[in-house]
């Protein structure tokens, strides 16, 4: 059994635990977003006012954790993914309540490569009792990938512009100003908290539409 200290070293830092979402999360700096790095410069894009480029995400402790995470991944992705599996199991044990077995990949940042996608798939496959949600705008990486996605991992591909319809992927997300596309996220009615809602992790919901804030 690897010590908690060594596990944190192997993956760069501990997991995140956003107060407004269920369970734990993992993220890296939004400065590293590939597609988002272009979208943030475009008026009307969903990245124009990126939440992960301001507020708490710019605190020194957060930027340090983000930097340590990507450094650990780039150093040795095999050690990283095995450490991630073990740390997740420590944080979300087998006997944890079902309501706590939800994990968000990228509460900030996005996929850096097809290999990173493969590594997260590996993590999900080792922990079939945990539901993983991966939101992304890395369209080329998702289109190129031809492997299998485990049942407990949902990849939601985000439309790049506000008020744009869902893209042609199995599971998607959108941002709307007035009329939602399909299921509307109502976190804004709960102080921007998920509460008991788990729609983003639900494969029976093709698209989740977020109100523009």
């Amino acid at each position: 059994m690897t010590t908690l200290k060594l596990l944190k070293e192997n993956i760069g830092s501990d997991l995140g635990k956003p107060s407004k979402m269920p369970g734990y999360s993992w993220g890296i700096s939004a400065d590293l977003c590939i597609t988002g790095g272009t979208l943030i410069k475009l008026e009307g894009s969903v990245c124009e006012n990126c939440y992960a480029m301001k507020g708490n995400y710019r605190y020194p402790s957060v930027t340090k954790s983000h930097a340590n995470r990507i450094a650990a991944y780039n150093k040795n992705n095999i050690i990283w993914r095995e450490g991630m599996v073990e740390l997740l199991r420590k944080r979300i044990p087998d006997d944890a309540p079902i309501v706590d077995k939800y994990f968000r990949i990228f509460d900030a940042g996005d996929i850096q490569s097809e290999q990173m996608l493969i590594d997260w798939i590996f993590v999900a496959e080792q922990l079939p009792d945990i539901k993983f949600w991966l939101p992304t705008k890395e369209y080329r990486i998702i289109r190129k990938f031809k492997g299998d996605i485990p049942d407990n991992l949902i990849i939601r591909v985000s439309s790049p512009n506000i008020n744009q319809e869902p893209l042609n992927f199995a599971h998607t997300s959108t941002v709307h100003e007035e009329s939602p596309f399909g299921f509307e996220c109502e976190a804004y009615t709960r102080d921007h908290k998920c509460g008991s809602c788990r729609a983003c992790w639900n494969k029976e919901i093709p698209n989740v539409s977020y109100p523009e804030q």
Side-chain angles (χ1 to χ4, degrees):
M1 184 70 69
T2 312
T3 66
L4 182 58
K5 179 180 179 181
L6 182 56
L7 286 175
K8 290 180 182 180
E9 290 177 1
N10 288 344
I11 68 168
S13 78
D14 205 342
L15 304 174
K17 202 173 192 305
S19 61
K20 295 183 178 182
M21 292 194 308
Y24 292 89
S25 68
W26 186 85
I28 56 177
S29 174
D31 291 315
L32 298 176
C33 290
I34 302 169
T35 301
T38 298
L39 291 176
I40 197 170
K41 304 169 187 175
L42 302 180
E43 183 177 356
S45 81
V46 296
C47 296
E48 183 181 8
N49 295 306
C50 178
Y51 68 88
M53 298 287 279
K54 54 191 176 183
N56 294 347
Y57 287 95
R58 288 311 194 191
Y59 287 173
S61 59
V62 177
T63 58
K64 181 180 179 180
S65 291
H66 284 169
N68 289 343
R69 288 172 183 173
I70 193 62
Y73 178 82
N74 288 335
K75 181 179 180 181
N76 191 316
N77 68 299
I78 301 303
I79 290 176
W80 174 90
R81 72 185 192 180
E82 292 174 350
M84 180 62 72
V85 170
E86 194 169 347
L87 181 57
L88 266 165
R89 184 47 77 204
K90 281 181 179 290
R91 293 299 187 218
I92 311 175
D94 285 313
D95 59 355
I98 293 177
V99 294
D100 294 333
K101 290 190 172 186
Y102 290 85
F103 187 83
R104 175 173 176 173
I105 308 170
F106 297 115
D107 62 335
D110 208 332
I111 305 169
Q112 299 296 291
S113 64
E114 184 175 359
Q115 184 59 54
M116 181 176 278
L117 174 61
I118 290 169
D119 290 329
W120 272 112
I121 289 171
F122 172 86
V123 172
E125 287 174 337
Q126 311 312 304
L127 302 164
D129 58 311
I130 298 174
K131 291 187 178 296
F132 292 81
W133 160 39
L134 194 165
T136 183
K137 297 178 186 69
E138 299 305 336
Y139 316 112
R140 293 179 182 176
I141 293 175
I142 301 304
R143 286 195 179 102
K144 181 181 177 182
F145 181 72
K146 302 303 180 183
D148 295 327
I149 305 297
D151 291 340
N152 62 321
L153 169 61
I154 185 168
I155 298 174
R156 289 199 181 274
V157 182
S158 307
S159 293
N161 299 307
I162 297 171
N163 296 323
Q164 183 176 355
E165 293 184 355
L167 299 178
N168 187 26
F169 291 89
H171 296 95
T172 55
S173 66
T174 52
V175 176
H176 65 275
E177 291 178 305
E178 296 181 2
S179 300
F181 299 97
F183 182 91
E184 181 179 26
C185 171
E186 296 185 344
Y188 67 92
T189 67
R190 301 184 292 268
D191 190 30
H192 300 284
K193 296 181 179 179
C194 294
S196 62
C197 180
R198 300 292 183 271
C200 293
W201 290 267
N202 189 343
K203 287 193 172 182
E204 294 184 5
I205 297 177
N207 186 72
V208 176
S209 194
Y210 305 102
E212 167 66 1
Q213 300 296 313

